[in-house]
Amino acid sequence: SCQSFFYFRVSKCVLKMGSLTSFPPELLAHILSFLPGKELGTAAKVCKAFHEASKVDFVWQRCMDREFGVSCSSTPSPREIYTKLLYNFGFLLGTWQIEIKPYGGLVHVKFDNNKLLGLQYTAPHDPHVDWPMMVKELFHVMLDEEGNTIINCLQGPQGPHKGQIPLLNASSARFCSKCCCPDMHRHSQGREQEFLEWCREEMGMSEEDIMFQHMQELLFMKFMIINQYQFCYMYRRLTIPPHVPGQLISPGLFKGTYGSHGLEIVLLTYEGRYIHCKKITGDPNVPASQLSVLIDTEKPLILDEEQQVDREELVRVTEEVNQEDEEKNGNSASTEQPGKGEGSGPGKEVSQRPVPQTQPFAIPEGFRERGINYPKTCKLRLCGTGLIAGHGFTNPTRTPGHFVLFDEDNFGFLWLELRSLSVYSRVKEDMD
């Protein structure tokens, strides 16, 4: 390997020529800074000069920046931060999905003030998709004054307490965090007060303010299930693809309205001719990790306002476009088989009609939009399907709908069977 060859050549120079030992320490440190951090310990054993050069902060700071994209202050030293913190726990950096069935969750781990900090991002209060995400600290991993690694759970009203992140089965794709002090999560005034405060945090209102019994039941069920998981979370890594020229809308995380379930988070990606919107958070009907919305980029629609306000006309036009596509491309291009058609990429048209840059947008009479202030024009309308199911994810079915692109950061989905509009807005918080 390159490292072995490096050690062999350096060892020969040191033993036979002694030339490198006469190099200024700054130059030796610069040379060593090109090595991976995990190899620096081996290089430090070559000779005393290498050992001293390997202690220079610049060497470790460069490794941290190259391997983890982070930097630290001088105390603790970059060498301590790398060897005692990042070497074992640096893989935590990035964006993760919490595996809580059926609700899921979104977590981002960042390096902040010389520690790894796990932050949970939850959607704002319904129906405000344009509001910032709500953020809550879950855990941190840091060094104490003696240089020992400590892990604290940050959940609950009683402050930081001991936690664990077992490394035995951890990987760059999955890990778990554990709380060692469950009692620290309990509210001093009892479970009822704990539930009421959770309702205010989750919905921006108390249980008494929620008029519909169905919503109260959904909230209570969510509270009970999340409380069962909160002492041991499992995480799965999320990868957000970069933007590719020609895509209709850049991939990324979006907040969307889901009726009585409130706002949920989806990840928009591409697969062939299709746009996928996978749930990162979910609900008892359609849980997290399911493909909520599937859009066919080769089925554009151009509708006048009179057509748009007539649901039966929307259904008729949708069926006509789907039938036209099946006749042209065969069943392999249907939306039931995403990614398996011969699509040439986003934006290819089914009909010969040009798709304008902007067109009017209106929702049909009798559709629920729940007071959302949606735009009255859109850039594009495409056929797609949305996933619906009964409680407990029973009888899941893909139902026709329309994807409506408003701009780079906002889109909607018209659920033709449910007679409702979901609006989605990009998550703009920095999770790089």
Coordinates of all heavy atoms in Angstrom, one line a residue, residues 183-272:
D183 N -35.2 7.6 34.7 CA -35.9 8.5 35.6 C -35.7 10.0 35.4 O -36.5 10.8 35.7 CB -35.6 8.2 37.1 CG -36.1 6.8 37.5 OD1 -37.0 6.3 36.9 OD2 -35.6 6.3 38.6
M184 N -34.6 10.3 34.7 CA -34.3 11.7 34.4 C -35.2 12.2 33.3 O -35.2 13.4 33.1 CB -32.8 11.8 34.0 CG -31.8 11.4 35.1 SD -31.8 12.6 36.4 CE -30.9 14.0 35.7
H185 N -35.9 11.4 32.7 CA -36.9 11.8 31.6 C -38.2 12.2 32.2 O -39.0 12.7 31.5 CB -37.0 10.7 30.6 CG -35.8 10.5 29.8 ND1 -35.8 10.4 28.4 CD2 -34.5 10.3 30.1 CE1 -34.6 10.2 27.9 NE2 -33.8 10.1 28.9
R186 N -38.5 11.8 33.4 CA -39.8 12.0 34.0 C -40.0 13.4 34.5 O -39.0 14.0 35.0 CB -40.0 11.0 35.2 CG -39.9 9.5 34.8 CD -41.1 9.0 34.1 NE -41.3 9.4 32.8 CZ -40.8 8.7 31.7 NH1 -40.2 7.6 31.9 NH2 -41.1 9.1 30.5
H187 N -41.2 13.9 34.4 CA -41.5 15.2 34.8 C -41.8 15.2 36.3 O -42.5 14.2 36.8 CB -42.8 15.8 34.1 CG -42.9 17.2 34.2 ND1 -43.4 17.9 35.3 CD2 -42.7 18.2 33.3 CE1 -43.5 19.2 35.1 NE2 -43.0 19.4 33.9
S188 N -41.4 16.2 37.0 CA -41.5 16.2 38.5 C -43.0 16.3 38.9 O -43.3 15.8 40.0 CB -40.8 17.4 39.1 OG -41.3 18.6 38.6
Q189 N -43.9 16.7 38.0 CA -45.3 16.8 38.4 C -46.1 15.6 37.8 O -47.4 15.7 37.8 CB -45.9 18.1 37.9 CG -45.2 19.4 38.5 CD -45.8 20.7 38.0 OE1 -47.0 20.7 37.7 NE2 -45.0 21.7 38.0
G190 N -45.5 14.6 37.4 CA -46.2 13.4 36.9 C -46.4 13.3 35.4 O -46.1 14.2 34.7
R191 N -46.9 12.1 35.0 CA -47.0 11.8 33.6 C -48.0 12.7 32.9 O -47.9 13.0 31.7 CB -47.4 10.3 33.5 CG -46.4 9.4 33.9 CD -45.3 9.2 32.9 NE -45.7 8.3 31.9 CZ -44.9 8.0 30.8 NH1 -43.8 8.7 30.6 NH2 -45.3 7.2 29.8
E192 N -49.1 13.1 33.6 CA -50.1 13.9 33.0 C -49.5 15.3 32.5 O -49.8 15.7 31.4 CB -51.3 14.1 33.9 CG -52.4 15.0 33.3 CD -53.6 15.1 34.2 OE1 -53.6 14.5 35.3 OE2 -54.5 15.9 33.8
Q193 N -48.7 15.9 33.4 CA -48.1 17.1 33.1 C -47.1 17.0 32.0 O -46.9 17.8 31.1 CB -47.4 17.8 34.3 CG -46.9 19.1 34.1 CD -47.9 20.2 33.8 OE1 -49.1 20.1 34.2 NE2 -47.6 21.2 33.0
E194 N -46.4 15.8 32.0 CA -45.5 15.5 31.0 C -46.1 15.4 29.6 O -45.6 15.9 28.6 CB -44.8 14.2 31.3 CG -43.7 13.8 30.4 CD -43.0 12.5 30.8 OE1 -43.1 12.1 32.0 OE2 -42.4 11.8 29.9
F195 N -47.3 14.8 29.6 CA -48.1 14.7 28.3 C -48.6 16.1 27.8 O -48.5 16.4 26.6 CB -49.3 13.7 28.5 CG -50.2 13.7 27.3 CD1 -49.7 13.2 26.1 CD2 -51.5 14.0 27.4 CE1 -50.6 13.2 25.0 CE2 -52.4 14.0 26.4 CZ -51.9 13.5 25.1
L196 N -49.0 16.9 28.8 CA -49.5 18.2 28.4 C -48.4 19.1 27.8 O -48.6 19.8 26.8 CB -50.2 18.9 29.6 CG -51.5 18.3 30.1 CD1 -51.9 19.0 31.4 CD2 -52.6 18.3 29.1
E197 N -47.2 19.0 28.4 CA -46.1 19.8 27.9 C -45.7 19.2 26.5 O -45.3 20.0 25.6 CB -45.0 19.8 28.9 CG -45.3 20.6 30.1 CD -44.1 20.9 30.9 OE1 -42.9 20.6 30.5 OE2 -44.2 21.5 32.0
W198 N -45.7 17.9 26.4 CA -45.4 17.3 25.1 C -46.4 17.8 24.0 O -46.0 18.0 22.9 CB -45.4 15.8 25.2 CG -45.0 15.1 23.9 CD1 -43.8 14.8 23.5 CD2 -45.9 14.6 23.0 NE1 -43.8 14.1 22.3 CE2 -45.1 14.0 21.9 CE3 -47.3 14.6 22.8 CZ2 -45.7 13.4 20.8 CZ3 -47.9 14.0 21.7 CH2 -47.1 13.4 20.7
C199 N -47.7 17.9 24.3 CA -48.7 18.3 23.4 C -48.4 19.8 22.9 O -48.5 20.1 21.7 CB -50.1 18.3 24.0 SG -50.8 16.6 24.1
R200 N -48.0 20.6 23.9 CA -47.7 22.0 23.5 C -46.5 22.1 22.6 O -46.4 22.9 21.7 CB -47.5 22.8 24.8 CG -48.8 23.2 25.4 CD -48.5 24.3 26.5 NE -48.0 23.7 27.7 CZ -48.7 23.2 28.7 NH1 -50.0 23.3 28.7 NH2 -48.1 22.7 29.8
E201 N -45.5 21.2 22.9 CA -44.3 21.2 22.0 C -44.6 20.6 20.7 O -44.1 21.1 19.7 CB -43.2 20.3 22.7 CG -41.9 20.2 22.0 CD -40.9 19.3 22.7 OE1 -40.5 19.7 23.8 OE2 -40.6 18.2 22.2
E202 N -45.4 19.5 20.6 CA -45.7 18.8 19.4 C -46.6 19.6 18.5 O -46.5 19.7 17.3 CB -46.3 17.5 19.7 CG -46.5 16.6 18.5 CD -45.3 15.9 17.9 OE1 -44.2 16.1 18.6 OE2 -45.3 15.3 16.9
M203 N -47.7 20.2 19.1 CA -48.8 20.8 18.3 C -48.9 22.3 18.5 O -49.6 23.0 17.8 CB -50.1 20.2 18.6 CG -50.2 18.7 18.3 SD -50.2 18.3 16.5 CE -51.8 19.0 16.1
G204 N -48.2 22.9 19.5 CA -48.3 24.3 19.8 C -49.6 24.6 20.5 O -50.0 25.7 20.6
M205 N -50.2 23.6 21.1 CA -51.5 23.8 21.9 C -51.6 22.6 22.9 O -50.9 21.6 22.8 CB -52.7 23.8 20.9 CG -52.9 22.5 20.1 SD -54.3 22.6 19.0 CE -53.6 23.7 17.7
S206 N -52.5 22.8 23.9 CA -52.7 21.8 24.9 C -53.7 20.8 24.4 O -54.4 21.0 23.4 CB -53.1 22.4 26.2 OG -54.4 23.0 26.0
E207 N -53.9 19.7 25.1 CA -54.9 18.7 24.7 C -56.3 19.3 24.7 O -57.1 18.9 23.9 CB -54.8 17.5 25.7 CG -55.7 16.3 25.3 CD -55.8 15.3 26.4 OE1 -55.4 15.6 27.5 OE2 -56.3 14.2 26.1
E208 N -56.5 20.2 25.7 CA -57.9 20.8 25.8 C -58.2 21.6 24.6 O -59.4 21.8 24.2 CB -58.0 21.6 27.1 CG -58.0 20.7 28.3 CD -56.6 20.4 28.8 OE1 -55.6 20.8 28.1 OE2 -56.4 19.7 29.8
D209 N -57.1 22.2 23.9 CA -57.4 23.1 22.8 C -57.7 22.3 21.5 O -58.1 22.9 20.5 CB -56.1 24.0 22.6 CG -55.9 24.9 23.7 OD1 -56.9 25.3 24.4 OD2 -54.7 25.2 24.0
I210 N -57.4 21.0 21.5 CA -57.6 20.2 20.3 C -59.0 19.7 20.3 O -59.4 18.9 21.2 CB -56.6 19.0 20.3 CG1 -55.2 19.5 20.3 CG2 -56.9 18.2 19.0 CD1 -54.1 18.5 20.4
M211 N -59.8 20.2 19.4 CA -61.3 20.0 19.5 C -61.7 18.6 19.1 O -62.6 18.0 19.6 CB -62.0 21.0 18.6 CG -61.8 22.4 19.0 SD -62.7 23.6 17.9 CE -61.7 23.4 16.4
F212 N -61.0 18.0 18.1 CA -61.4 16.7 17.6 C -60.8 15.5 18.4 O -59.6 15.4 18.6 CB -61.0 16.5 16.1 CG -61.5 17.6 15.3 CD1 -60.7 18.7 14.8 CD2 -62.9 17.7 14.9 CE1 -61.2 19.7 14.0 CE2 -63.4 18.7 14.1 CZ -62.6 19.7 13.6
Q213 N -61.7 14.6 18.8 CA -61.3 13.5 19.7 C -60.3 12.6 18.9 O -59.4 12.1 19.5 CB -62.5 12.7 20.1 CG -62.2 11.5 21.0 CD -63.4 10.7 21.4 OE1 -64.5 11.1 21.1 NE2 -63.2 9.7 22.2
H214 N -60.5 12.5 17.6 CA -59.6 11.6 16.8 C -58.2 12.1 16.9 O -57.2 11.3 17.0 CB -60.1 11.6 15.3 CG -59.2 10.8 14.4 ND1 -58.9 9.5 14.6 CD2 -58.5 11.2 13.3 CE1 -58.1 9.1 13.7 NE2 -57.8 10.1 12.9
M215 N -58.0 13.5 16.8 CA -56.7 14.0 16.9 C -56.1 13.8 18.3 O -54.9 13.6 18.5 CB -56.7 15.5 16.6 CG -56.9 15.8 15.1 SD -56.8 17.5 14.7 CE -55.1 17.8 15.0
Q216 N -56.9 13.9 19.3 CA -56.5 13.7 20.7 C -56.0 12.2 20.9 O -54.9 12.0 21.5 CB -57.6 14.0 21.7 CG -58.0 15.4 21.8 CD -59.1 15.6 22.8 OE1 -59.6 14.7 23.4 NE2 -59.5 16.9 23.0
E217 N -56.7 11.3 20.3 CA -56.3 9.9 20.3 C -55.0 9.7 19.6 O -54.1 8.9 20.1 CB -57.4 9.0 19.8 CG -58.7 9.0 20.6 CD -59.9 8.3 19.9 OE1 -59.7 8.0 18.7 OE2 -60.9 8.1 20.6
L218 N -54.9 10.3 18.4 CA -53.6 10.1 17.7 C -52.4 10.7 18.5 O -51.3 10.1 18.5 CB -53.7 10.9 16.3 CG -54.6 10.2 15.3 CD1 -54.7 11.2 14.1 CD2 -54.1 8.9 14.8
L219 N -52.6 11.8 19.1 CA -51.5 12.4 19.9 C -51.2 11.5 21.1 O -50.0 11.3 21.4 CB -52.0 13.8 20.4 CG -51.7 15.0 19.5 CD1 -52.3 16.3 20.1 CD2 -50.2 15.2 19.2
F220 N -52.1 11.0 21.8 CA -51.9 10.2 23.0 C -51.1 8.9 22.5 O -50.2 8.5 23.2 CB -53.1 9.9 23.7 CG -52.9 9.1 25.0 CD1 -52.3 9.7 26.1 CD2 -53.3 7.8 25.1 CE1 -52.1 9.0 27.3 CE2 -53.0 7.1 26.2 CZ -52.5 7.7 27.3
M221 N -51.5 8.3 21.4 CA -50.9 7.1 21.0 C -49.4 7.4 20.6 O -48.5 6.6 20.9 CB -51.6 6.6 19.8 CG -51.0 5.3 19.2 SD -52.0 4.5 17.9 CE -52.1 5.8 16.7
K222 N -49.2 8.5 19.9 CA -47.8 8.9 19.5 C -47.0 9.1 20.8 O -45.8 8.7 20.9 CB -47.8 10.1 18.7 CG -46.5 10.5 18.1 CD -46.6 11.7 17.2 CE -45.2 12.1 16.6 NZ -45.3 13.2 15.6
F223 N -47.5 9.8 21.8 CA -46.8 10.1 23.0 C -46.4 8.8 23.7 O -45.3 8.6 24.1 CB -47.7 10.9 24.0 CG -47.1 11.1 25.3 CD1 -46.1 12.0 25.6 CD2 -47.6 10.3 26.4 CE1 -45.6 12.1 26.9 CE2 -47.1 10.5 27.7 CZ -46.1 11.4 27.9
M224 N -47.3 7.8 23.8 CA -47.0 6.5 24.4 C -45.9 5.7 23.7 O -45.0 5.2 24.3 CB -48.3 5.7 24.6 CG -49.4 6.3 25.5 SD -48.7 6.6 27.2 CE -48.5 4.9 27.7
I225 N -46.0 5.7 22.4 CA -45.1 4.9 21.6 C -43.7 5.5 21.6 O -42.7 4.8 21.9 CB -45.6 4.8 20.1 CG1 -46.8 3.9 20.1 CG2 -44.5 4.2 19.2 CD1 -47.4 3.7 18.7
I226 N -43.6 6.9 21.5 CA -42.3 7.5 21.5 C -41.7 7.4 22.9 O -40.4 7.2 23.0 CB -42.4 9.0 21.1 CG1 -42.7 9.1 19.6 CG2 -41.2 9.8 21.5 CD1 -42.9 10.5 19.1
N227 N -42.5 7.4 23.9 CA -41.9 7.2 25.3 C -41.3 5.8 25.5 O -40.4 5.6 26.3 CB -43.0 7.5 26.3 CG -43.0 8.9 26.8 OD1 -42.4 9.2 27.8 ND2 -43.6 9.8 26.0
Q228 N -41.9 4.8 24.8 CA -41.3 3.5 24.9 C -39.9 3.4 24.2 O -39.1 2.6 24.6 CB -42.3 2.5 24.2 CG -43.6 2.3 24.9 CD -44.5 1.4 24.1 OE1 -44.1 0.7 23.2 NE2 -45.8 1.4 24.5
Y229 N -39.7 4.2 23.2 CA -38.4 4.1 22.5 C -37.4 5.1 23.0 O -36.2 4.9 22.7 CB -38.7 4.5 21.0 CG -39.2 3.4 20.2 CD1 -40.6 3.2 20.0 CD2 -38.4 2.5 19.5 CE1 -41.1 2.2 19.2 CE2 -38.9 1.5 18.7 CZ -40.3 1.3 18.6 OH -40.8 0.3 17.8
Q230 N -37.7 6.1 23.8 CA -36.8 7.2 24.0 C -35.6 6.9 24.8 O -34.6 7.6 24.8 CB -37.6 8.4 24.7 CG -38.0 8.1 26.1 CD -38.7 9.3 26.7 OE1 -39.1 9.2 27.9 NE2 -38.7 10.4 26.1
F231 N -35.6 5.7 25.4 CA -34.4 5.3 26.2 C -33.4 4.5 25.3 O -32.2 4.3 25.7 CB -34.8 4.4 27.4 CG -35.8 5.1 28.2 CD1 -37.0 4.4 28.5 CD2 -35.7 6.3 28.7 CE1 -38.0 5.0 29.2 CE2 -36.7 6.9 29.5 CZ -37.8 6.3 29.7
C232 N -33.8 4.2 24.1 CA -32.9 3.4 23.2 C -33.3 3.7 21.7 O -34.2 3.1 21.2 CB -32.8 2.0 23.5 SG -31.7 1.0 22.4
Y233 N -32.6 4.6 21.1 CA -33.0 5.0 19.7 C -32.0 4.3 18.7 O -30.8 4.2 19.0 CB -32.8 6.5 19.5 CG -33.9 7.4 19.9 CD1 -33.8 8.7 20.1 CD2 -35.2 6.8 20.2 CE1 -34.8 9.6 20.5 CE2 -36.2 7.6 20.6 CZ -36.0 9.0 20.8 OH -37.1 9.8 21.2
M234 N -32.6 3.7 17.7 CA -31.8 3.2 16.6 C -31.9 4.2 15.4 O -32.9 4.8 15.2 CB -32.4 1.9 16.1 CG -32.3 0.7 17.1 SD -30.6 0.3 17.4 CE -30.0 -0.2 15.8
Y235 N -30.7 4.3 14.7 CA -30.6 5.3 13.7 C -30.1 4.7 12.4 O -29.3 3.8 12.4 CB -29.6 6.4 14.0 CG -29.8 7.1 15.4 CD1 -29.4 6.5 16.6 CD2 -30.5 8.3 15.4 CE1 -29.7 7.1 17.8 CE2 -30.7 9.0 16.6 CZ -30.3 8.4 17.8 OH -30.5 9.0 19.0
R236 N -30.6 5.1 11.3 CA -30.2 4.7 9.9 C -29.7 5.9 9.1 O -30.4 6.9 9.1 CB -31.3 4.0 9.2 CG -30.9 3.5 7.8 CD -32.2 2.9 7.1 NE -32.8 1.9 7.8 CZ -32.4 0.6 7.8 NH1 -31.5 0.2 6.9 NH2 -33.1 -0.3 8.5
R237 N -28.6 5.8 8.5 CA -28.0 7.0 7.8 C -28.9 7.4 6.6 O -29.4 6.6 5.9 CB -26.6 6.8 7.4 CG -25.9 8.0 6.7 CD -24.5 7.8 6.4 NE -23.6 7.6 7.5 CZ -23.2 8.7 8.3 NH1 -23.5 9.9 8.0 NH2 -22.4 8.4 9.3
L238 N -29.0 8.7 6.5 CA -29.7 9.3 5.3 C -28.7 9.9 4.4 O -27.8 10.6 4.8 CB -30.7 10.4 5.7 CG -32.0 9.9 6.4 CD1 -32.9 11.1 6.7 CD2 -32.8 9.0 5.4
T239 N -28.8 9.6 3.1 CA -28.0 10.2 2.1 C -28.8 11.1 1.2 O -29.8 10.7 0.6 CB -27.2 9.2 1.2 OG1 -26.5 8.3 2.1 CG2 -26.3 9.8 0.2
I240 N -28.5 12.4 1.2 CA -29.2 13.4 0.3 C -28.4 13.6 -1.0 O -27.3 14.2 -0.9 CB -29.5 14.7 1.1 CG1 -30.2 14.4 2.4 CG2 -30.2 15.7 0.2 CD1 -30.4 15.6 3.2
P241 N -28.9 13.1 -2.1 CA -28.1 13.2 -3.4 C -27.9 14.7 -3.7 O -28.8 15.6 -3.4 CB -29.0 12.5 -4.4 CG -30.0 11.7 -3.6 CD -30.2 12.5 -2.3
P242 N -26.9 15.0 -4.5 CA -26.6 16.4 -4.9 C -27.5 16.7 -6.1 O -28.1 15.8 -6.8 CB -25.2 16.3 -5.4 CG -24.9 14.9 -5.8 CD -25.8 14.1 -4.8
H243 N -27.7 18.0 -6.4 CA -28.4 18.4 -7.6 C -27.7 18.0 -8.8 O -26.5 18.2 -8.9 CB -28.7 19.9 -7.5 CG -29.3 20.4 -8.7 ND1 -30.6 20.2 -9.1 CD2 -28.8 21.2 -9.7 CE1 -30.9 20.8 -10.2 NE2 -29.9 21.4 -10.6
V244 N -28.4 17.6 -9.8 CA -27.9 17.3 -11.2 C -28.6 18.2 -12.2 O -29.8 18.4 -12.1 CB -28.2 15.8 -11.5 CG1 -27.7 15.5 -13.0 CG2 -27.5 14.9 -10.6
P245 N -27.8 18.8 -13.0 CA -28.4 19.7 -14.0 C -29.5 19.0 -14.8 O -29.4 17.9 -15.2 CB -27.3 20.1 -14.9 CG -26.0 20.0 -14.1 CD -26.3 18.8 -13.1
G246 N -30.6 19.7 -15.0 CA -31.8 19.2 -15.8 C -32.9 18.6 -14.9 O -34.0 18.4 -15.4
Q247 N -32.6 18.5 -13.6 CA -33.7 18.0 -12.7 C -34.7 19.1 -12.5 O -34.3 20.3 -12.4 CB -33.1 17.6 -11.3 CG -32.2 16.3 -11.4 CD -31.6 16.0 -10.1 OE1 -31.3 16.9 -9.2 NE2 -31.3 14.7 -9.9
L248 N -35.9 18.7 -12.4 CA -37.0 19.7 -12.2 C -37.0 20.5 -10.9 O -37.3 21.6 -10.8 CB -38.4 19.0 -12.4 CG -38.6 18.3 -13.7 CD1 -39.9 17.5 -13.6 CD2 -38.6 19.3 -14.8
I249 N -36.6 19.8 -9.9 CA -36.4 20.3 -8.5 C -35.3 19.6 -7.8 O -35.1 18.4 -8.0 CB -37.8 20.2 -7.7 CG1 -37.6 20.9 -6.4 CG2 -38.2 18.8 -7.7 CD1 -39.0 21.0 -5.6
S250 N -34.5 20.3 -7.1 CA -33.3 19.7 -6.5 C -33.7 18.7 -5.4 O -34.7 18.9 -4.7 CB -32.4 20.7 -5.8 OG -31.9 21.6 -6.8
P251 N -33.0 17.5 -5.3 CA -33.3 16.6 -4.2 C -33.2 17.3 -2.8 O -32.4 18.3 -2.7 CB -32.3 15.5 -4.4 CG -31.8 15.6 -5.8 CD -31.9 17.1 -6.1
G252 N -33.8 16.7 -1.8 CA -33.6 17.3 -0.5 C -34.8 16.9 0.4 O -35.7 16.1 0.1
L253 N -34.8 17.4 1.6 CA -35.8 17.2 2.6 C -36.9 18.3 2.5 O -36.6 19.4 2.4 CB -35.2 17.2 4.0 CG -34.2 16.1 4.3 CD1 -33.4 16.4 5.6 CD2 -34.9 14.7 4.5
F254 N -38.1 17.8 2.7 CA -39.3 18.7 2.6 C -40.2 18.5 3.8 O -40.4 17.3 4.2 CB -40.0 18.6 1.3 CG -39.3 19.1 0.1 CD1 -38.2 18.4 -0.5 CD2 -39.6 20.4 -0.4 CE1 -37.5 18.9 -1.6 CE2 -38.9 20.9 -1.5 CZ -37.9 20.1 -2.1
K255 N -40.9 19.5 4.3 CA -42.0 19.4 5.2 C -43.3 19.4 4.4 O -43.5 20.3 3.6 CB -42.0 20.6 6.2 CG -40.7 20.8 6.9 CD -40.5 22.3 7.4 CE -40.1 23.2 6.3 NZ -39.8 24.5 6.7
G256 N -44.2 18.5 4.8 CA -45.5 18.4 4.0 C -46.7 18.3 5.0 O -46.5 17.7 6.1
T257 N -47.8 18.7 4.5 CA -49.1 18.6 5.3 C -49.7 17.3 5.0 O -49.9 16.9 3.9 CB -50.0 19.8 4.9 OG1 -50.3 19.7 3.5 CG2 -49.4 21.1 5.3
Y258 N -50.1 16.6 6.1 CA -50.8 15.3 6.0 C -52.0 15.2 6.9 O -52.2 14.4 7.8 CB -49.8 14.2 6.4 CG -48.8 13.8 5.3 CD1 -47.6 14.5 5.1 CD2 -49.1 12.8 4.4 CE1 -46.8 14.2 4.1 CE2 -48.2 12.5 3.4 CZ -47.1 13.2 3.2 OH -46.2 12.9 2.2
G259 N -52.9 16.2 6.7 CA -54.2 16.1 7.3 C -54.1 16.1 8.8 O -53.4 16.9 9.4
S260 N -54.9 15.3 9.4 CA -55.0 15.2 10.9 C -53.7 14.7 11.5 O -53.5 14.9 12.7 CB -56.1 14.3 11.3 OG -55.9 13.0 10.8
H261 N -52.8 14.2 10.7 CA -51.5 13.7 11.2 C -50.5 14.9 11.4 O -49.4 14.7 11.9 CB -50.9 12.6 10.3 CG -51.7 11.4 10.3 ND1 -52.0 10.6 11.3 CD2 -52.4 10.9 9.2 CE1 -52.8 9.6 11.0 NE2 -53.1 9.7 9.7
G262 N -50.8 16.1 10.9 CA -50.0 17.2 11.0 C -48.9 17.2 9.9 O -49.1 16.7 8.8
L263 N -47.8 17.9 10.2 CA -46.7 18.0 9.2 C -45.8 16.8 9.3 O -45.5 16.4 10.4 CB -45.9 19.3 9.4 CG -46.7 20.6 9.3 CD1 -45.7 21.8 9.2 CD2 -47.5 20.6 8.0
E264 N -45.3 16.3 8.2 CA -44.4 15.2 8.2 C -43.2 15.6 7.2 O -43.4 16.5 6.4 CB -45.1 13.9 7.8 CG -46.1 13.5 8.8 CD -46.8 12.2 8.4 OE1 -46.3 11.4 7.5 OE2 -47.8 11.8 9.1
I265 N -42.1 14.9 7.4 CA -40.9 15.1 6.6 C -40.7 14.0 5.5 O -40.8 12.9 5.9 CB -39.7 15.2 7.5 CG1 -39.9 16.3 8.6 CG2 -38.4 15.6 6.7 CD1 -38.9 16.2 9.7
V266 N -40.4 14.5 4.3 CA -40.1 13.5 3.2 C -38.8 13.8 2.6 O -38.3 15.0 2.7 CB -41.2 13.5 2.1 CG1 -42.6 13.2 2.7 CG2 -41.3 14.9 1.4
L267 N -38.2 12.8 2.0 CA -36.9 13.0 1.3 C -37.2 12.8 -0.2 O -37.7 11.8 -0.7 CB -35.9 12.0 1.7 CG -34.6 11.9 0.9 CD1 -33.9 13.3 1.0 CD2 -33.7 10.8 1.4
L268 N -37.0 13.9 -1.0 CA -37.2 13.9 -2.4 C -36.0 13.4 -3.2 O -34.9 14.1 -3.0 CB -37.7 15.2 -2.9 CG -38.1 15.4 -4.4 CD1 -39.2 16.4 -4.6 CD2 -36.9 15.7 -5.3
T269 N -36.1 12.4 -3.9 CA -34.9 11.9 -4.7 C -35.4 11.5 -6.1 O -36.6 11.5 -6.4 CB -34.3 10.7 -4.1 OG1 -35.2 9.6 -3.9 CG2 -33.7 11.0 -2.7
Y270 N -34.5 11.1 -7.0 CA -34.8 10.7 -8.4 C -34.4 9.2 -8.6 O -33.4 8.8 -8.0 CB -34.1 11.5 -9.4 CG -34.7 12.9 -9.5 CD1 -34.3 13.9 -8.6 CD2 -35.5 13.3 -10.6 CE1 -34.8 15.2 -8.7 CE2 -36.1 14.6 -10.7 CZ -35.7 15.5 -9.8 OH -36.2 16.8 -9.9
E271 N -35.2 8.5 -9.3 CA -34.9 7.2 -9.8 C -35.4 7.0 -11.2 O -36.6 6.9 -11.5 CB -35.5 6.1 -8.9 CG -35.0 4.7 -9.3 CD -35.5 3.6 -8.4 OE1 -35.7 3.9 -7.2 OE2 -35.7 2.5 -8.8
G272 N -34.5 7.2 -12.2 CA -34.9 7.1 -13.6 C -35.8 8.3 -13.9 O -35.5 9.5 -13.6

